Amino acid sequence: MIDLSRRSAIGAGLAAAAAGLAGGAGAAGAPFFKRTKLPIGLQLYTLGGDLRADVDGMLGQVAKIGYRTVELAGYLGKTPKELRASFDKAGLKATSSHVQAEGNGAEPTLAQIDRVVADSKVMGVTHIVLPSVPMPAHVDAKARPGEDLAARFARVYGQLTAEDWKSVADLLNAKGQVLKAAGMTMGYHNHNAEFMPLAGTTPLEILLKNTDPKLVSFEMDVGWVVAAGGDPFALMRAHKGRFSQMHVKDVKATTKPNFAFQQDPTEVGSGIIPWPKLLPAAYAEGVRGFFVEQEPPFARPRIEAAKLCFDYLDKVVA
């Protein structure tokens, strides 16, 4: 981890890490995604309310940009059958889906894993990702007056104990076993709170140590790793083979290391993350699912931001 007192060190640290790989896979002469024959995916969270307002229209624009795979972050008010029809119409494949551990809404959670499996088979999804942890009874998760969402998440996650995180690992193992039997896979997506010091380790290290590699993989959100002051290169090297998917997310140099769900986002290729080195490093460590994701606030319409990200990645030599 980069020393949090060195607020300007993120860019320098990443540049140094990338330089260590300069003679490796990053020296290839063809655009990365053409060379590896992997699709550039889009996490649909990027499109926000624009997508829910016009699902078919927006998915058509996503496909026109050049994206071929997408990752779900909810059902967008549609049934699995309706979503599959929308994806087929646009020429897109939904290969991955973020599913919460619990909830009271119409969409299934990991608590209804059989329904998750059934819905996924209709939509064509093969990989399920837990994007946030269930909150145990001892955690005060109620919103407080004047508290924004980032501050609330930081306060809530700060109440979780090492035992709580071990319970999350147990949950991932159990659901991973069910998904494996169904021909699917289980994953976990990080934010930056998983890098906070906890009982001599970090929440992410607890999850990595206590999950079965045969049942659980990880989706590295690079933007949140860097927002925590972390080094994505070192993280992959330290846990070889554990990361199967990646959120391709960039941040500005003004991003200050924190564990409080804060970053200064920007389009992929216009921030501080060295994609020409990181993409081949991730591929070498087993990452095969790459999904663009951008956090708000946006400097332009979300679909335009998604196009800028795609255009960069489509041409980047890595």
Side-chain angles (χ1 to χ4, degrees):
M1 298 293 293
I2 298 171
D3 185 346
L4 295 184
S5 67
R6 295 162 58 198
R7 295 299 190 182
S8 63
I10 294 181
L14 288 175
L21 296 172
F32 173 77
F33 286 97
K34 290 181 174 63
R35 176 169 61 82
T36 60
K37 295 181 172 58
L38 290 174
I40 302 172
L42 178 67
Q43 163 52 255
L44 294 178
Y45 163 84
T46 302
L47 301 178
D50 297 345
L51 176 61
R52 183 177 282 268
D54 182 12
V55 174
D56 285 351
M58 290 299 293
L59 290 178
Q61 291 187 60
V62 167
K64 185 177 180 180
I65 288 170
Y67 289 103
R68 291 295 173 262
T69 59
V70 295
E71 181 178 52
L72 283 161
Y75 286 9
L76 306 171
K78 290 180 172 285
T79 67
K81 186 176 179 179
E82 289 170 339
L83 278 174
R84 178 60 182 265
S86 294
F87 294 138
D88 288 347
K89 179 181 178 181
L92 296 167
K93 292 183 178 181
T95 58
S96 183
S97 179
H98 280 199
V99 176
Q100 298 291 344
E102 54 190 26
N104 299 315
E107 298 174 9
T109 66
L110 292 184
Q112 296 92 37
I113 191 65
D114 290 341
R115 185 181 161 198
V116 170
V117 169
D119 286 358
S120 297
K121 289 187 179 298
V122 171
M123 294 184 290
V125 170
T126 57
H127 189 60
I128 300 299
V129 181
L130 177 64
S132 58
V133 300
M135 289 298 142
H138 72 82
V139 171
D140 175 13
K142 294 181 180 178
R144 296 179 178 177
E147 184 179 49
D148 63 25
L149 193 59
R152 180 186 176 192
F153 273 120
R155 176 177 58 81
V156 168
Y157 271 68
Q159 298 175 62
L160 295 172
T161 68
E163 289 304 315
D164 292 331
W165 286 101
K166 289 178 182 177
S167 294
V168 175
D170 291 341
L171 172 70
L172 291 168
N173 285 329
K175 302 308 179 182
Q177 186 72 59
V178 176
L179 291 172
K180 182 178 180 180
M184 299 171 63
T185 49
M186 180 81 242
Y188 182 84
H189 166 276
N190 69 273
H191 291 86
N192 58 351
E194 286 88 346
F195 294 87
M196 68 175 67
L198 179 65
T201 182
T202 68
L204 185 62
E205 292 292 332
I206 292 173
L207 293 181
L208 285 159
K209 180 180 179 181
N210 290 280
T211 50
D212 184 343
K214 296 179 181 178
L215 300 176
V216 180
S217 66
F218 288 78
E219 180 175 63
M220 179 188 290
D221 188 305
V222 180
W224 285 120
V225 172
V226 173
D231 178 347
F233 294 92
L235 184 59
M236 287 188 293
R237 286 196 300 265
H239 301 283
K240 291 183 176 296
R242 295 307 308 274
F243 295 93
S244 64
Q245 295 196 157
M246 175 172 282
H247 274 185
V248 182
K249 178 183 294 179
D250 220 333
V251 297
K252 298 176 183 177
T254 51
T255 298
K256 296 180 179 180
N258 71 95
F259 309 124
F261 294 86
Q262 296 176 353
Q263 61 175 260
D264 294 336
T266 188
E267 289 75 30
V268 175
S270 62
I272 62 173
I273 297 175
W275 299 107
K277 299 298 185 290
L278 185 55
L279 291 172
Y283 185 86
E285 295 296 344
V287 176
R288 293 296 182 270
F290 293 87
F291 296 96
V292 167
E293 185 183 47
Q294 187 169 329
E295 299 285 342
F298 286 77
R300 53 185 51 81
R302 289 169 181 253
I303 193 67
E304 291 182 16
K307 185 178 188 305
L308 288 174
C309 294
F310 179 90
D311 289 347
Y312 170 80
L313 291 169
D314 190 44
K315 296 179 177 63
V316 67
V317 174

